Amino acid sequence: MRTLKYSRQRESIKEFLSSRTDHPTAVTIYHNLQKVYPNISLGTVYRNLSLLAELGEINRISTEEGGDRFDAVTAPHNHFYCRKCHRLLDLKMNDTAQIMAEASANFGGRIESCTTLFRGVCEDCLGEDSSDVKSK
Amino acid sequence: MRTLKYSRQRESIKEFLSSRTDHPTAVTIYHNLQKVYPNISLGTVYRNLSLLAELGEINRISTEEGGDRFDAVTAPHNHFYCRKCHRLLDLKMNDTAQIMAEASANFGGRIESCTTLFRGVCEDCLGEDSSDVKSK
DNA sequence: TAAATAAATAATAATTGTTACTATTATTAA
DNA sequence: TTAATAATAGTAACAATTATTATTTATTTA
């Protein structure tokens, strides 16, 4: 069995993620850590992000465009993806704990976190009816 | 403004997706359409999948590994991603409609579909405690 | 119905996000 | 403090996706 050894880079990645409420990409994390470790490697960032995600210490969020995003595990949260402008917005819900409970009822595994991805057209894009593609 | 023109390839992609209950990748769709159009291009599949997703006729599902997956828009459904074995399992829930309603309450845009991604450790992996990585 | 227009295609090249490799450095256990 | 081994930086390789281009096909207009 492989045992973990301490690495200050890995600690910094965790620490950086905990300080952010958004969902940075690996490259964003890389750029920020370069301020502390000028010659840190992007591979190191990717390797540690995967490792931390596997350990359940952070979440990996796959988005519909661009690269994966990461955050420190906190509360379940929800996203709205607009199929027009491709933005990923946060979406507040009152009753998220209930979703977890509901899901656990029919499931043998351990549910640790959840993210609901809503899809559709955002408020801004509903306003403009100038679509770039028109279906007849 | 760009107007759509009919394409039999695009129709077939939609039709194929409607016939499946799983979530095929672009490459799977490509291989299946090759039976009908022996020299269809993978680029054509990707282009039409993106277009159909933009029109809201199909869903693009980003997974934590491998490529994106697609399905015809039907009912909301839910996935469980195991951080040990990396499988993407389907997860049945009784009360999905309520999630949509709850979310719409605080949101100005139009919600068309949703997928909840649960994360954790699946039943099989909970059984084995032989983790490949051990944290101290 | 035929010619003009413009979108869609197949084939291929290029790009992007991520992982694998290798020689060196850092951490830990004895 | 030395031996064992994990982690690193730097770089090459990889897979999924997108862009490019010349050609074909669908639609519009005469």
Side-chain angles (χ1 to χ4, degrees), chain A residues 13-135:
Chain A
I13 288 169
K14 250 171 75 178
E15 199 178 314
F16 175 72
L17 275 178
S18 300
S19 77
R20 301 268 293 218
T21 57
D22 62 345
H23 321 100
T25 63
V27 171
T28 302
I29 296 164
Y30 172 62
H31 286 321
N32 277 274
L33 290 192
Q34 277 186 318
K35 295 169 190 165
V36 187
Y37 310 100
N39 46 0
I40 191 174
S41 165
L42 184 54
T44 297
V45 175
Y46 274 112
R47 184 164 19 77
N48 281 300
L49 286 172
S50 293
L51 179 54
L52 289 168
E54 197 172 343
L55 293 169
E57 301 193 21
I58 65 171
N59 275 338
R60 177 195 298 267
I61 304 162
S62 299
T63 65
E64 325 250 313
E65 66 177 347
D68 286 357
R69 293 170 169 279
F70 299 87
D71 64 17
V73 177
T74 51
H77 49 264
N78 308 291
H79 297 133
F80 177 85
Y81 179 74
C82 177
R83 65 176 162 83
K84 293 269 185 188
C85 65
H86 308 290
R87 282 186 302 171
L88 188 71
L89 309 171
D90 274 315
L91 193 150
K92 279 254 165 75
M93 276 178 69
N94 302 325
D95 220 359
T96 43
Q98 198 199 323
I99 298 175
M100 300 266 287
E102 181 81 35
S104 297
N106 309 307
F107 189 68
R110 178 173 63 220
I111 293 176
E112 294 170 342
S113 69
C114 77
T115 309
T116 301
L117 177 66
F118 297 93
R119 292 180 223 84
V121 183
C122 75
E123 195 161 14
D124 294 355
C125 289
L126 277 183
E128 333 157 352
D129 39 281
S130 62
S131 170
D132 44 338
V133 180
K134 183 182 184 184
S135 171

Side-chain angles (χ1 to χ4, degrees), chain B residues 13-32 45-46 49 58-63 67-72 77 79 88:
Chain B
I13 289 169
K14 249 171 76 178
E15 199 179 315
F16 175 72
L17 276 178
S18 300
S19 77
R20 301 268 293 218
T21 57
D22 62 345
H23 321 101
T25 62
V27 172
T28 302
I29 296 164
Y30 171 62
H31 286 321
N32 277 274
V45 175
Y46 275 112
L49 286 173
I58 65 171
N59 275 336
R60 177 195 298 267
I61 305 163
S62 299
T63 65
D68 286 358
R69 293 170 170 279
F70 298 86
D71 63 18
H77 49 261
H79 297 133
L88 187 72

